[in-house]
Amino acid sequence: MSVKITPLSPSIGAKVTGVRLVGGLDEQSFAAIREAFDTYSMLVIPGQPMNDDDQVEFSKRFGTLEISVAVNPGRGTPFARQSNLDIKTGEMIPPDDRRMFYQKANMLWHADSTFKDTLSLCSILTARKVPPEGGATEFVSTRTVYEGLSATAKAEVEDLVVEHSFIHSRGLVGFTFTPEEAAHYPAVRHRLVQVNAANGRRSLLIGVHASHIVGWPLAKGRDLLADLMARATRPENVLRHEWTEGDVVIWDNRAALHRATPYDTTRHVRLMQRTTISTGVPSQL
Ligand code: OGA
Ligand code: MN
């Protein structure tokens, strides 16, 4: 196979062609994908229809898979399901259903699993059913925002620790948890500045789950996080991916933020399956 990598924007994303992910992807091609992942933080690999078993097999090449917890319909499996189709009946879920409300939180800029003690390396989202309009996913780099800070600002953020909390982020959209659900999500601490071990590039671990800066007055920490978010998500930095069935998209959860965009959930169906690969390294903080 001869893998071709084509950048999609100045700050994030590349398209990968010349590969078949299912049915024996060779070591060399995988190594090229893995390296492009470290370089571009987000990869689009079109024309790769796959089933759940194929996705698990491909995902495992990046590391250990997370098992979904509590609220996602994929709980207890390696899949987080983004869909308006009921997982059991296959029928469309009514828009006022709690499950649809819950998915709306995906429309806020976030990285997956930053509310967990062990961060995620990457997520892999495969397009199984795509609406004819709407339902794009948007991406931004948090490397670009770090690299754009002044030397003083870089020094100021270098050793900061951020508390991330799922209860905090879902609370922002008015979602409430039962005590049993809430028990799955204790707040966690991570370094704001993350360093990619392969290339030394620094990024910021921000997004909707980032609640506050440890050791700073609440308002001051929230102002800093809001300022970094505003810089990261400036419209000119956004890469928008319009899905086609068979697309596979991989993003770095330590160096990129993403968000879902709306589609008409009463008229169109959308089914995306996500696997989430763990860094395998629990927070030391
Ligand atoms: C996700 C996610 C966005 C989308 O799967 O983690 O945020 O557009 N998805 O479905
Ligand atoms: Mn997500």
Side-chain angles (χ1 to χ4, degrees):
M1 290 187 210
S2 84
V3 183
K4 189 166 167 240
I5 313 284
T6 313
L8 291 169
S9 87
S11 60
I12 186 168
K15 184 162 136 178
V16 180
T17 51
V19 285
R20 271 227 333 266
L21 303 184
V22 174
L25 177 71
D26 62 88
E27 277 304 319
Q28 222 185 337
S29 301
F30 180 71
I33 293 173
R34 187 65 181 78
E35 192 187 335
F37 164 77
D38 279 318
T39 305
Y40 295 100
S41 306
M42 182 274 199
L43 301 176
V44 179
I45 317 180
Q48 311 290 331
M50 57 175 74
N51 63 28
D52 287 354
D53 289 342
D54 298 330
Q55 185 168 346
V56 166
E57 193 179 313
F58 173 64
S59 301
K60 278 184 176 163
R61 303 197 57 173
F62 286 84
T64 307
L65 306 197
E66 291 185 3
I67 299 296
S68 289
V69 287
V71 193
N72 193 280
R75 70 184 150 274
T77 78
F79 291 98
R81 183 180 162 98
Q82 317 296 0
S83 187
N84 60 337
L85 297 179
D86 185 285
I87 193 168
K88 288 209 184 85
T89 64
E91 303 280 308
M92 274 159 103
I93 303 170
D96 55 355
D97 189 286
R98 188 179 192 245
R99 287 167 292 176
M100 294 316 293
F101 181 51
Y102 177 79
Q103 284 184 57
K104 286 214 169 112
N106 275 345
M107 292 182 192
L108 302 174
W109 287 109
H110 66 283
D112 297 325
S113 297
T114 66
F115 54 85
K116 294 183 185 171
D117 187 58
T118 299
L119 287 174
S120 157
L121 172 71
C122 62
S123 294
I124 301 180
L125 193 62
T126 64
R128 309 294 181 86
K129 290 196 170 103
V130 172
E133 56 186 7
T137 309
E138 296 185 328
F139 297 87
V140 291
S141 168
T142 69
R143 268 184 193 162
T144 314
V145 56
Y146 174 82
E147 287 165 2
L149 295 176
S150 68
T152 318
K154 282 181 182 159
E156 189 185 43
V157 298
E158 179 67 20
D159 291 320
L160 293 181
V161 172
V162 186
E163 192 165 297
H164 289 250
S165 157
F166 194 63
I167 305 299
H168 162 76
S169 55
R170 286 308 193 257
L172 295 175
V173 290
F175 194 85
T176 52
F177 292 88
T178 67
E180 297 78 54
E181 286 168 346
H184 288 277
Y185 303 111
V188 298
R189 291 175 174 196
H190 296 294
R191 293 185 69 98
L192 175 60
V193 177
Q194 300 282 315
V195 185
N196 182 304
N199 56 27
R201 290 185 69 184
R202 285 172 153 70
S203 58
L204 298 175
L205 197 72
I206 50 180
V208 74
H209 307 304
S211 160
H212 59 276
I213 307 284
V214 175
W216 277 24
L218 200 65
K220 184 181 171 200
R222 292 205 162 143
D223 284 351
L224 173 66
L225 291 171
D227 176 58
L228 296 172
M229 283 295 287
R231 288 164 186 264
T233 60
R234 282 182 188 145
E236 64 268 28
N237 296 334
V238 174
L239 174 67
R240 184 176 171 89
H241 181 65
E242 304 279 357
W243 293 91
T244 300
E245 272 171 34
D247 283 350
V248 173
V249 172
I250 308 172
W251 61 83
D252 187 333
N253 281 312
R254 302 152 316 159
L257 298 172
H258 62 281
R259 67 172 176 186
T261 65
Y263 64 102
D264 188 341
T265 63
T266 63
R267 289 176 53 212
H268 304 308
V269 298
R270 185 176 192 262
L271 172 58
M272 316 289 284
Q273 285 278 67
R274 190 186 92 204
T275 39
T276 316
I277 294 84
S278 174
T279 56
V281 185
S283 171
Q284 306 293 310
L285 302 167

